[in-house]
Amino acid sequence: MTWGVLSSSTFGAASPDADTIGYDEAIENYFYSVLTEDEQNELNSGMGGVPWTKFSDKFVKDLGWLADHERPKRFRLQKTYKELCSLISLENRLAAVDKRLKDIIEELEPGVHQFWPIELTQPKDKPYPVPYFGMVVHSHLNCFRLEECDPGHAEDKSIGDHIRYSIRGKSRADLKGVAMSRTAIGSHHIWREKYLHSPWFLLSDRLAARIQDAGLKMPKHYPMKDV
């Protein structure tokens, strides 16, 4: 069974209100001090300035491993949180996981996804007590099957060669009718769908079971329809 993890549209335990510290400066230093003028123009299409989305897109798209300067490392939480989810969304669409979830993912898929330690600081410079790691999932699959979805649960939003599908995907009942191919999933345990904006992440039944057994606090996630 596939599980779809939904992103949060409001601040909370799954999406804390946090500002990145030092990331913009690191990207600007790389762009202006390391790249040649020709390389800068190629990256920003001659429009001038740092093309920020070219860097932040690497958090969510299949664009390769992040270099050191591309990895945000410090975040300042705008309020004190009693308990964050084991999987959280940070600024610029970066995902982060606590050590318990990181260890489970790496046990199931060693060396597949990228992790690095991050620092979460609460108000009054108090460190958040649980270690977290930035995470970039490097499995981008095409498991979604529009023709197998229950009526009304998904639609084709493609324009020309640009393939894009949309699902209702806001509740357990919505995700229950969204079809995923077991064959395409294969032995993967956590991935993003190439042509779906939501769910945020997809989990295998085995990973979801490990998460439940460990008692991890997670964002909303619901079972989907395997075909």
Side-chain angles (χ1 to χ4, degrees):
M1 181 184 296
T2 302
W3 292 74
V5 182
L6 300 179
S7 59
S8 175
S9 60
T10 58
F11 292 129
S15 183
D17 186 2
D19 295 329
T20 311
I21 302 172
Y23 171 72
D24 288 0
E25 292 80 359
I27 294 298
E28 285 182 330
N29 180 67
Y30 169 78
F31 187 80
Y32 290 113
S33 301
V34 177
L35 298 183
T36 66
E37 185 174 346
D38 286 344
E39 288 171 331
Q40 292 175 19
N41 289 331
E42 181 179 356
L43 202 58
N44 64 20
S45 301
M47 300 298 291
V50 178
W52 293 104
T53 57
K54 290 288 182 69
F55 293 97
S56 62
D57 276 354
K58 296 187 76 172
F59 301 156
V60 297
K61 295 182 179 180
D62 190 11
L63 298 173
W65 223 251
L66 270 63
D68 183 69
H69 64 272
E70 296 174 313
R71 303 196 293 262
K73 300 178 180 69
R74 299 176 61 209
F75 297 85
R76 181 183 292 111
L77 298 171
Q78 297 304 304
K79 59 173 284 187
T80 298
Y81 290 88
K82 182 178 180 181
E83 183 184 14
L84 294 174
C85 290
S86 290
L87 169 62
I88 60 175
S89 176
L90 294 168
E91 195 171 30
N92 294 318
R93 302 173 293 166
L94 177 69
V97 294
D98 65 14
K99 188 177 186 303
R100 296 172 298 171
L101 182 52
K102 168 184 172 290
D103 289 348
I104 292 172
I105 293 171
E106 289 197 303
E107 179 185 335
L108 294 176
E109 295 188 301
V112 175
H113 312 293
Q114 186 173 10
F115 300 92
W116 66 95
I118 62 173
E119 176 186 318
L120 296 178
T121 304
Q122 302 181 96
K124 299 182 179 179
D125 293 325
K126 182 180 179 181
Y128 188 75
V130 177
Y132 272 79
F133 297 79
M135 176 180 75
V136 173
V137 166
H138 285 293
S139 294
H140 292 253
L141 309 179
N142 181 20
C143 306
F144 174 69
R145 295 296 181 263
L146 176 66
E147 65 279 2
E148 301 286 348
C149 291
D150 290 353
H153 282 255
E155 57 183 315
D156 190 345
K157 295 281 190 177
S158 303
I159 300 176
D161 293 333
H162 179 73
I163 302 173
R164 177 61 60 183
Y165 302 110
S166 175
I167 66 172
R168 275 200 320 229
K170 296 181 180 179
S171 69
R172 178 182 295 272
D174 290 337
L175 289 189
K176 187 178 180 180
V178 177
M180 293 287 159
S181 165
R182 296 187 189 94
T183 301
I185 293 168
S187 60
H188 292 88
H189 292 288
I190 183 170
W191 71 96
R192 290 181 184 271
E193 277 293 310
K194 288 183 178 181
Y195 305 120
L196 281 177
H197 176 71
S198 177
W200 180 27
F201 289 107
L202 291 300
L203 311 178
S204 71
D205 201 35
R206 185 178 173 191
L207 175 53
R210 290 288 301 274
I211 289 171
Q212 183 176 6
D213 290 345
L216 303 187
K217 182 176 181 177
M218 289 287 287
K220 292 179 180 178
H221 57 293
Y222 303 118
M224 304 176 74
K225 178 183 179 180
D226 284 357
V227 295

